[in-house]
Amino acid sequence: MRVKHARVRAAAWYVAATLISVVTVFPLVWTVLTSVRPESEILSAGFRFLPRALTLDNYRIAFREVPFPRYLLNSLILGTGGTLLNLVLGSLAGYAFARLAFRFREQLFWLLISAMMVPGVITMIPWFLILHGVPLVGGNDLLGRGGVGLINTFWAVILPGAAGPFATFMMRQQFGSVDGAFAEAARLDGAGEFRIFARIYLPLVKPGLAVLAILTFQAGWNNFLWPLIVLNTADMMPIQVGLAVFRQQYETAYGPLMAGTLIACVPVILIFVFFQRWIIEGATSAAIK
Amino acid sequence: MSHVTTRSRGTARHFQQRYGYAFIAIPLFLFLVFTAVPVVLALGTGFTNYSVIGRAKWIGLANFRRLLADPFFGVALRNTLVYTAMYVPAGLLVALGCALVLNLKHRGVTVYRVFFYIPVVASTVASATMWYWLLNPTHGVINVVLGWFGVNGPAWLYSSRWAMTAIVMMSVWATFGTNMMLFLAGLQYIPRDLHEAAMIDGAGVIRRFWHVTWPGLRRTTFFVLLLLIIGAMQVFDQAYVLTQGGPGNSTITVVYYIYTPGFGDLRMGYASAMSFVLAVIILVFSVLSNRLTGHDLEAAS
């Protein structure tokens, strides 16, 4: 009787979990299927799961109408630039807060972390004004007047988040949780502080760096509102802005739209599939602690 | 001998001080430029008529007074509150429900975890574009499936009554995975013995949930609620991609409205005043959610 009860419950669990999975995965599958379906079939009446005929026309149209390679390259530059800066600055700061003794260490740490509590809507306009007023670039004079500063440059997208509080927070956890006995020995042998950081500690936190890199890259790749605000020439646009414009210009071209959507999310989905365990665990552990 | 050790330790500490400051110098500088100064600027700009070109003039409360009389702002605020009122409870329940499902130990649970989580990976713009197609009134899968059950689906994004609901559905789908993972992590912290003790006392599934799981998740629930509210009040991407504020302004949100006069017409002073009002509302809601979950922040820290 008990065994039977347990079996019924297990079966119910699989049914529920499968139903939820259908809801979460179906839109992606449907996007793939629509992207390879001929246009006549997409807008025909009746529902067919698998396409009657396969075609790459939608991709051809998408690439013809929209400079996707350029947009992909822009997103790659923005994502990689932001990620590298966060890795370098986040590990330097995280290491200092976890391993070095200096005055006001705790206070300064919490000050930097407090940036997480400031909603984006508050910083949005000031960021624009600050980047607009950076002296001696973009036609600006010494006082930051006359030109546009860093607006419409990749720096405008990268700089505000170059040392994200999340990176500092996560790397402090990482450096704090490794064994420091080695380093003390090296320190007594007269090794310099930077050497201790770079040669002894940094290799120990490689897994943490990898998770941080993936999460930062994903966030940068998917960023939309801020690039939309500060970039205003077409060939500077990242893929998300390009896709949004495409969607507004081609309201009913569902096939090419789905092709474009896939182009915009395939890189991050591939990264996710390969590193999913790290991503899921890293994302939550940092938030929970 | 001991004298030498103390001296070398002393210099080491001295070195550490300097390196400590050197290592945090750039992040600290960026914090000042992109967090500290902006917060001050955000407070100040709202009281000026600053418009990027030309000089800013202090105009006191004029922006805020105009805001009160601006019918668009009223509509945007109402839409944002409607979105929040639907999205926050739905997002919380779906995330919690799915976490409870994944918390049961069955074979293949890790595969399901990936399936449940995958919408998070796609960007909001990509998710919105996918849903733009799913929500098509005649050919979209959602109305086709509703049709199988004899339901005549609404025009969704083309209906001022249903557009916001459609955006909420899409947003819950796209974001619940993150919060689900937070709940799942929170569930691991609830001691097994509590569940077992309750089971021995003869408590059923529902009673165990209310007396063991729900209180044990208090901290996580507070955190998730906070994230949901902050996200909901600043909703933008979805409205921009799916409806551009339409139909009939039914999906204009506050951030959308800040974006238009702020960066469209460069009326920075006015846009700042709006940001300020929204930030205050977010703060009030955050405090309220703290009360609601009965979470004592001081006790937690």
Side-chain angles (χ1 to χ4, degrees):
Chain A
M1 195 59 192
R2 266 209 119 127
V3 175
K4 206 175 158 196
H5 191 65
R7 264 199 199 158
V8 171
R9 283 177 72 166
W13 185 85
Y14 280 105
V15 170
T18 308
L19 279 177
I20 298 170
S21 302
V22 168
V23 174
T24 52
V25 177
F26 179 80
L28 284 164
V29 174
W30 194 238
T31 304
V32 176
L33 292 173
T34 307
S35 77
V36 292
R37 213 182 277 264
E39 203 196 341
S40 58
E41 207 186 310
I42 291 173
L43 292 177
S44 70
F47 177 82
R48 268 186 72 90
F49 183 66
L50 290 174
R52 216 181 298 259
L54 292 179
T55 173
L56 287 177
D57 280 354
N58 295 320
Y59 287 88
R60 253 176 241 129
I61 295 169
F63 274 102
R64 195 186 64 214
E65 299 298 320
V66 182
F68 277 116
R70 176 79 231 179
Y71 293 165
L72 286 169
L73 181 69
N74 292 341
S75 281
L76 193 69
I77 296 170
L78 290 172
T80 317
T83 304
L84 286 177
L85 281 169
N86 268 290
L87 288 183
V88 172
L89 298 173
S91 43
L92 281 171
Y95 174 76
F97 286 125
R99 287 289 166 184
L100 296 177
F102 54 93
R103 283 188 70 186
F104 305 119
R105 184 173 80 163
E106 293 302 300
Q107 291 88 331
L108 285 170
F109 174 72
W110 288 110
L111 187 70
L112 286 189
I113 296 308
S114 71
M116 280 196 210
M117 297 300 292
V118 181
V121 67
I122 273 288
T123 48
M124 197 162 78
I125 292 167
W127 279 4
F128 185 88
L129 301 179
I130 289 168
L131 291 162
H132 195 275
V134 175
L136 300 176
V137 288
N140 274 352
D141 59 17
L142 195 63
L143 295 171
R145 285 182 304 208
V148 293
L150 288 176
I151 297 302
N152 204 29
T153 66
F154 284 160
W155 286 112
V157 181
I158 294 174
L159 272 185
F166 179 74
T168 302
F169 187 75
M170 188 174 161
M171 290 323 289
R172 179 186 179 244
Q173 306 281 21
Q174 294 288 324
F175 283 113
S177 61
V178 295
D179 182 16
F182 250 140
E184 278 310 315
R187 197 167 275 146
L188 289 178
D189 284 347
E193 286 298 331
F194 190 79
R195 244 182 103 88
I196 295 174
F197 160 73
R199 291 287 171 79
I200 298 178
Y201 276 107
L202 208 53
L204 294 176
V205 296
K206 267 187 199 154
L209 283 173
V211 173
L212 180 63
I214 294 165
L215 291 174
T216 318
F217 184 81
Q218 260 182 9
W221 185 270
N222 291 344
N223 198 2
F224 176 63
L225 176 56
W226 187 241
L228 180 73
I229 290 171
V230 290
L231 300 176
N232 42 43
T233 41
D235 64 349
M236 303 274 292
M237 282 182 190
I239 186 84
Q240 306 304 332
V241 178
L243 179 62
V245 172
F246 186 37
R247 142 75 191 90
Q248 289 175 354
Q249 284 172 348
Y250 296 84
E251 295 229 318
T252 52
Y254 292 105
L257 266 180
M258 293 306 109
T261 305
L262 278 180
I263 297 165
C265 57
V266 155
V268 276
I269 287 186
L270 282 182
I271 294 175
F272 173 72
V273 170
F274 280 116
F275 301 106
Q276 53 92 8
R277 265 188 75 177
W278 289 12
I279 295 175
I280 288 179
E281 276 156 25
T284 38
S285 70
I288 281 297
K289 277 172 189 165
Chain B
M1 190 63 200
S2 74
H3 180 69
V4 174
T5 335
T6 351
R7 247 190 70 176
S8 72
R9 278 234 179 109
T11 17
R13 192 160 300 156
H14 180 70
F15 263 126
Q16 280 198 16
Q17 286 259 14
R18 275 206 299 195
Y19 274 93
Y21 293 127
F23 279 20
I24 64 166
I26 300 176
L28 200 61
F29 172 75
L30 289 171
F31 171 84
L32 289 177
V33 176
F34 292 111
T35 304
V37 172
V39 168
V40 177
L41 269 182
L43 285 173
T45 319
F47 298 96
T48 69
N49 64 353
Y50 191 61
S51 61
V52 183
I53 353 162
R55 293 194 148 251
K57 217 178 86 191
W58 190 266
I59 54 168
L61 287 172
N63 282 330
F64 294 93
R65 237 178 268 130
R66 234 177 75 209
L67 214 50
L68 281 178
D70 184 344
F72 270 113
F73 182 71
V75 170
L77 190 59
R78 209 192 57 206
N79 289 340
T80 307
L81 292 175
V82 167
Y83 174 83
T84 307
M86 289 195 277
Y87 171 77
V88 172
L92 191 82
L93 288 178
V94 172
L96 178 60
C98 290
L100 289 172
V101 169
L102 290 184
N103 197 40
L104 297 172
K105 304 279 168 278
H106 287 280
R107 192 182 276 178
V109 73
T110 46
V111 179
Y112 283 109
R113 194 175 69 169
V114 173
F115 285 158
F116 286 21
Y117 187 80
I118 210 154
V120 173
V121 182
S123 69
T124 336
V125 178
S127 308
T129 316
M130 290 176 203
W131 278 72
Y132 174 70
W133 169 223
L134 294 176
L135 288 162
N136 179 290
T138 38
H139 303 288
V141 171
I142 292 176
N143 275 2
V144 168
V145 173
L146 284 177
W148 293 346
F149 297 96
V151 178
N152 203 352
W156 298 116
L157 300 170
Y158 304 93
S159 146
S160 54
R161 265 191 68 188
W162 288 96
M164 195 56 104
T165 313
I167 292 181
V168 170
M169 281 163 30
M170 176 256 136
S171 306
V172 170
W173 177 84
T175 58
F176 84 90
T178 313
N179 299 324
M180 173 190 80
M181 294 311 300
L182 293 175
F183 274 127
L184 202 52
L187 286 168
Q188 314 307 312
Y189 287 99
I190 299 173
R192 278 204 85 84
D193 345 355
L194 276 182
H195 273 290
E196 275 154 21
M199 243 195 276
I200 292 166
D201 287 348
V205 180
I206 294 166
R207 281 192 50 162
R208 281 206 314 269
F209 175 78
W210 281 117
H211 293 285
V212 180
T213 313
W214 183 244
L217 282 176
R218 213 186 240 178
R219 266 184 77 135
T220 318
T221 310
F222 166 69
F223 188 62
V224 168
L225 206 53
L226 206 61
L227 289 178
L228 283 170
I229 291 170
I230 295 173
M233 297 298 291
Q234 300 183 79
V235 59
F236 172 84
D237 300 9
Q238 298 91 312
Y240 186 90
V241 175
L242 285 175
T243 53
Q244 289 171 275
N249 292 326
S250 62
T251 56
I252 290 257
T253 66
V254 176
V255 172
Y256 198 100
Y257 191 44
I258 292 172
Y259 170 78
T260 334
F263 298 99
D265 317 333
L266 295 178
R267 276 152 59 200
M268 294 294 183
Y270 193 50
S272 280
M274 275 192 261
S275 311
F276 185 80
V277 171
L278 187 63
V280 170
I281 297 174
I282 292 175
L283 188 70
V284 170
F285 273 114
S286 306
V287 172
L288 279 180
S289 81
N290 182 19
R291 288 279 166 78
L292 203 72
T293 46
H295 175 90
D296 191 0
L297 270 180
E298 279 168 46
S301 59

